[in-house]
Amino acid sequence: MSRETPSGDADPMIKFIAVHKFFGALAALTDVNAEVKKGEVVVVCGPSGSGKSTLIRTVNRLEEIQSGSVLFEGKDVHAKLRGSALNHLRSRIGFVFQSFNLFPHLSALDNVMLSPMKVNGVKRSDARETALRLLDRVGLSAKAQNYPAQLSGGQQQRVAIARALAMEPPAMLFDEPTSALDPEMVGEVLSVMRRLARDGMTMMCVTHEMNFARDVADRVWFMDAGRVLETGAPGDFFRSPQHPRAQRFLSDLHTR
Amino acid sequence: MSLLPSMIDIVRDNWLLLLVGQYPNGPLGGIAATLILSVLGIALAFPLSVAMALASLSPWRALRWPVMAMVYITRGVPLLLIILWVYFVLPLLIGHSVPAFATMLVTLVGYEAAFLSEIVRAGILALPQGQMDAARALGHSHLGAMRYVILPQALFNMIPSILSQFVSTIKETTLGYIINVPELTFAAGQINNRLLTKPFEVYFILAISYFIVCWSLTQAINMIERRIAARRTASVAAESAMPATAASASGA
Amino acid sequence: MKGFDLMAVLLNPEFSRMLVHGVKMTFIIFIGSWLLAMSLGMILLAVRMLPGRIASGFVAIYVSYHRNVPTLVQLMLWYFGISSLLPGSVQMWLGDHNGEAVFAVVALGLCQAAYFSEDQRSGLRAVPRGQWEAARALGHSYVGAMTYILLPQAVRNAMPALVNHTVSLFKNSSLAMAIGVAELTHAVKEVENQSFRPFETYLIATIVYLVCSLLLMWLGHYLEQRSRMAGAV
């Protein structure tokens, strides 16, 4: 599929520099150094407990770090920021949760409209227009007036993606977006994500969907025990992984 | 503040009155009467509440409606008014005058039974339908299933709620003051009428006394609740371990 | 015993005046203390969420006191006890301006505030943590997240308990008679003393209380239905 190649000379959009994180005495992230360039699609994979979700959550500071830095668009996310500065930073990072976390007291349309209006100060009519357009883009314009409890898991996740896109972020983070879905609904969410990637969105995805990684990713990061052990183009990674633990992870996947 | 020394004096001088009222020169009162009233009230209300709960779940309207009516009335009418009713009606029914303590006891039994019946009912409904199905499949009658299978479990699970209702009963005994029941609040009123110049100290002592009793009971209830929750998760773990042994026994 | 004659009580101008005044006072006490309790309950909840142990400790003690001390005793402590500590001029002013009703509203309001704040707190705790994370991830501030996402859900969660406690507050207004407020139960005793018709008088009061309680419960149920998140169980 044709896609704009990522601009390699611009500053990276997301950069991890010597990131360490502990949960008490447990080292969750150890010396992570990596970067995501503008327009790049990065898939982070690895066994459970490897720290993939923790890593992605440090980007918008849903998790704190003990040392190192995480830069987004050149700004240090974990610096001593004023509340409003952190809020502004977060509004520029789209985040899609494993458990969707749609707001149950609002319709799908209101879910998508709320944050542009209240955080970015967008006019109601403009927010509504954008929201309808985005719901159409994820294939759910017919469900605009429905409430989350009336939607299937796949539909809820697609609304969640639209909600994040409504803030017009330069980058989107996906934390295991399909892990909580029944198998037959995984495809509809992945196709939305594929289209986003094709349109040039900078994406960082934690996922177990290896076909998605093979087709769409520009780079694959393999993590285990809090470290990024190997990075590479998907073709190289899946054909001949270098690190022994990566080799074991892929062979475990194939024997399922 | 000179309040604290005067409060200590009041307690030192009147502790017997606060504890047991004017006994033996009068009816039993004070904290003793409060606690006896509460314990008797809940103890007598309990069997009544179980019967009411069973009636409310029965398929016969003749049983359900009176219970539902009684529950609605106790939930909608202030306890004070109910006390006035009983105070007026009871002597008519019995034929001669009734001491205030007995009036209060009768009122509390009926009032608490209505609230307890809702608790018991909730406890029964919270059990999975499978329990009743299994009991009936084994041949138990409806009441037999209730007696041997449903109620033991429901009541055990509801112990914290029942004890909370007991704490509420202790607080409700104070309303006996209106009809001169000799309990703790009445005793405090007597002390205040005698001293006249230290109302704050007297009523503060009264408040603290109730606080100590109710708070300690609430702490005990929380501990019991934790023990019950631990028991429940342990029994679930035991249940899930069973099939393995049964399978191995049948296979051996 | 005289024959049952409801009209002897209802049509008597003196008795009906006393009963109507009683109903009015009951509602004044109820609405006054409800407003106080609701607003104070929300303030208590906000204070509880402040950082530091002093704030949450204070609220915990406040709630514990008001839940473990009987309401009647709280009323008496305010009316007999605290009033005696007030400066003389305030006591005189209160004496001239319906002091008993003021103390009743204050005592009942402060007591129910404890229950309301606990209900609201449970309602807030029932909102899943993911909602908070999603709100923050979208860039909402603490206040914004609370206003648009968390509190609306918390209030809906808390509604059944809030309605129950509102009905309790309505019934507790009858306790004010113990400190001399001329609300309905007090009026009933007065009318009964003068008319020698306890059955009829009590019946009228019972019907009034029952109808009002049922109306309150029905109103609460209606509000719950209206605010229910569509499709939710």
Side-chain angles (χ1 to χ4, degrees):
Chain A
M1 56 175 74
S2 62
R3 206 167 56 75
E4 290 196 15
T5 43
S7 45
D9 43 352
D11 274 330
M13 183 151 282
I14 305 174
K15 190 164 172 148
F16 300 93
I17 303 176
V19 173
H20 290 259
K21 181 189 171 55
F22 294 89
F23 283 116
L26 178 68
L29 295 173
T30 307
D31 197 26
V32 175
N33 293 281
E35 57 186 48
V36 180
K37 300 200 245 306
K38 182 171 154 69
E40 210 180 10
V41 176
V42 166
V43 165
V44 183
C45 67
S48 35
S50 54
K52 324 188 283 292
S53 282
T54 312
L55 183 67
I56 201 177
R57 284 160 65 96
T58 61
V59 178
N60 68 349
R61 207 164 168 179
L62 286 176
E63 298 286 353
E64 298 285 341
I65 60 176
Q66 272 69 54
S67 73
S69 33
V70 180
L71 302 180
F72 181 78
E73 292 186 310
K75 299 199 213 34
D76 186 352
V77 176
H78 291 261
K80 262 182 114 57
L81 292 172
R82 267 211 338 266
S84 52
L86 180 56
N87 292 339
H88 178 74
L89 195 53
R90 282 177 171 153
S91 68
R92 289 184 60 72
I93 306 173
F95 198 97
V96 177
F97 294 85
Q98 179 175 353
S99 48
F100 338 132
N101 290 340
L102 285 183
F103 305 136
H105 60 299
L106 301 174
S107 67
L109 185 64
D110 285 329
N111 257 277
V112 179
M113 277 171 66
L114 175 75
S115 310
M117 288 198 301
K118 302 297 178 187
V119 177
N120 287 345
V122 172
K123 257 187 11 216
R124 176 171 276 270
S125 47
D126 294 337
R128 192 188 159 86
E129 203 182 298
T130 309
L132 286 170
R133 182 171 40 87
L134 285 170
L135 281 174
D136 189 49
R137 187 164 157 196
V138 301
L140 285 172
S141 40
K143 298 283 184 185
Q145 298 305 330
N146 288 100
Y147 283 76
Q150 299 166 321
L151 302 175
S152 74
Q155 291 169 330
Q156 289 188 51
Q157 192 62 299
R158 286 188 274 154
V159 174
I161 295 175
R163 178 178 68 174
L165 288 173
M167 301 296 278
E168 303 188 343
M172 289 278 283
L173 308 177
F174 293 84
D175 185 3
E176 303 214 32
T178 57
S179 298
L181 296 176
D182 290 337
E184 66 266 18
M185 294 191 253
V186 170
E188 68 197 52
V189 173
L190 287 181
S191 72
V192 170
M193 289 167 68
R194 280 179 213 263
R195 217 165 335 134
L196 267 180
R198 195 176 52 221
D199 293 340
M201 173 65 81
T202 310
M203 290 164 65
M204 186 174 163
C205 310
V206 173
T207 183
H208 295 296
E209 296 292 327
M210 293 306 144
N211 287 328
F212 175 81
R214 252 190 282 262
D215 295 342
V216 179
D218 295 306
R219 296 188 73 76
V220 174
W221 297 356
F222 173 75
M223 280 187 77
D224 194 2
R227 287 178 197 272
V228 176
L229 294 177
E230 188 172 334
T231 70
D236 301 330
F237 177 75
F238 287 111
R239 239 197 328 267
S240 46
Q242 303 296 308
H243 199 282
R245 272 189 256 162
Q247 294 165 355
R248 193 156 14 118
F249 173 69
L250 286 177
S251 72
D252 283 344
L253 277 184
H254 287 138
T255 51
R256 250 195 308 125
Chain B
M1 287 221 297
S2 62
L3 285 177
L4 193 54
S6 59
M7 281 199 267
I8 296 176
D9 284 340
I10 295 175
V11 175
R12 210 186 41 206
D13 296 335
N14 295 287
W15 63 275
L16 196 59
L17 185 66
L18 290 171
L19 209 54
V20 290
Q22 285 170 323
Y23 191 82
N25 301 322
L28 185 65
I31 295 183
T34 294
L35 288 175
I36 292 179
L37 202 48
S38 319
V39 171
L40 272 183
I42 281 280
L44 293 174
F46 184 68
L48 181 56
S49 69
V50 172
M52 284 171 70
L54 291 176
S56 74
L57 291 169
S58 76
W60 299 293
R61 265 182 293 180
L63 282 181
R64 281 205 314 269
W65 283 8
V67 171
M68 298 273 88
M70 195 166 153
V71 170
Y72 260 113
I73 290 176
T74 47
R75 280 174 61 182
V77 179
L79 178 55
L80 209 44
L81 189 54
I82 297 179
I83 291 176
L84 291 179
W85 266 113
V86 176
Y87 190 66
F88 156 62
V89 166
L90 202 55
L92 295 178
L93 288 180
I94 296 199
H96 58 82
S97 65
V98 181
F101 188 91
T103 308
M104 192 66 198
L105 184 59
V106 168
T107 317
L108 277 180
V109 168
Y111 192 72
E112 300 306 327
F115 279 97
L116 275 178
S117 79
E118 287 290 278
I119 293 175
V120 173
R121 187 187 141 98
I124 293 175
L125 289 175
L127 287 180
Q129 175 66 25
Q131 292 292 303
M132 182 51 105
D133 291 343
R136 297 309 297 271
L138 285 161
H140 287 280
S141 70
H142 179 83
L143 278 181
M146 277 293 171
R147 180 154 168 240
Y148 297 110
V149 176
I150 303 287
L151 281 176
Q153 296 184 60
L155 293 176
F156 181 74
N157 290 338
M158 288 286 114
I159 285 178
S161 302
I162 295 173
L163 290 178
S164 285
Q165 195 62 35
F166 174 62
V167 175
S168 291
T169 309
I170 294 179
K171 294 192 289 176
E172 279 147 13
T173 58
T174 57
L175 266 64
Y177 175 80
I178 306 294
I179 54 171
N180 295 330
V181 175
E183 41 76 57
L184 182 57
T185 312
F186 184 77
Q190 283 182 310
I191 297 174
N192 187 45
N193 286 338
R194 202 153 25 88
L195 291 179
L196 283 180
T197 53
K198 298 183 187 303
F200 180 81
E201 288 89 325
V202 172
Y203 285 104
F204 190 74
I205 291 170
L206 183 62
I208 293 297
S209 314
Y210 277 109
F211 181 81
I212 293 174
V213 171
C214 294
W215 184 83
S216 328
L217 281 171
T218 310
Q219 296 305 107
I221 292 174
N222 288 341
M223 212 177 56
I224 294 176
E225 203 167 4
R226 278 197 291 271
R227 290 264 185 85
I228 290 185
R231 269 275 284 270
R232 244 188 288 184
T233 45
S235 67
V236 167
E239 269 177 38
S240 51
M242 293 279 257
T245 48
S248 60
S250 59
Chain C
M1 191 171 78
K2 300 194 203 148
F4 179 78
D5 188 357
L6 203 57
M7 290 302 132
V9 176
L10 281 179
L11 293 181
N12 183 311
E14 180 61 24
F15 298 156
S16 53
R17 188 192 62 80
M18 285 182 1
L19 289 174
V20 167
H21 180 78
V23 173
K24 259 197 318 199
M25 278 314 284
T26 293
F27 270 94
I28 292 176
I29 305 269
F30 168 58
I31 292 177
S33 53
W34 190 87
L35 289 172
L36 175 59
M38 258 305 171
S39 26
L40 186 56
M42 293 198 262
I43 294 174
L44 283 171
L45 187 63
V47 167
R48 191 164 205 156
M49 300 200 289
L50 289 177
R53 297 245 290 271
I54 304 177
S56 54
F58 166 74
V59 176
I61 293 178
Y62 179 96
V63 169
S64 190
Y65 170 82
H66 285 97
R67 281 168 64 152
N68 283 308
V69 176
T71 315
L72 183 62
V73 173
Q74 291 179 34
L75 265 169
M76 291 167 140
L77 182 57
W78 274 99
Y79 184 66
F80 297 124
I82 295 186
S83 65
S84 72
L85 296 179
L86 295 173
S89 51
V90 180
Q91 290 192 39
M92 292 231 323
W93 184 90
L94 280 171
D96 291 335
H97 291 86
N98 249 323
E100 312 92 28
V102 171
F103 278 113
V105 168
V106 168
L108 288 174
L110 258 56
C111 177
Q112 278 306 120
Y115 288 97
F116 281 162
S117 91
E118 282 295 287
D119 292 340
Q120 290 160 350
R121 181 168 160 246
S122 305
L124 191 58
R125 272 173 44 182
V127 181
R129 188 175 166 73
Q131 294 292 302
W132 167 252
E133 292 195 340
R136 295 299 253 150
L138 284 160
H140 288 276
S141 65
Y142 180 87
V143 173
M146 274 292 176
T147 313
Y148 300 113
I149 288 136
L150 292 170
L151 286 178
Q153 297 186 53
V155 166
R156 283 166 176 84
N157 288 340
M159 278 213 87
L162 289 174
V163 169
N164 265 340
H165 283 137
T166 298
V167 176
S168 292
L169 180 57
F170 175 70
K171 293 193 297 172
N172 278 346
S173 64
S174 61
L175 295 177
M177 79 168 278
I179 60 173
V181 176
E183 48 70 61
L184 183 55
T185 314
H186 186 270
V188 154
K189 276 215 87 179
E190 283 296 297
V191 170
E192 184 244 328
N193 278 340
Q194 293 181 29
S195 69
F196 302 104
R197 291 184 179 282
F199 192 82
E200 294 87 331
T201 341
Y202 291 166
L203 187 61
I204 294 170
T206 305
I207 292 176
V208 171
Y209 275 116
L210 209 48
V211 166
C212 293
S213 297
L214 288 177
L215 276 177
L216 277 174
M217 286 196 257
W218 180 85
L219 180 66
H221 194 64
Y222 173 73
L223 286 174
E224 271 175 71
Q225 295 285 75
R226 276 288 303 272
S227 69
R228 191 119 63 100
M229 302 179 269
V233 168

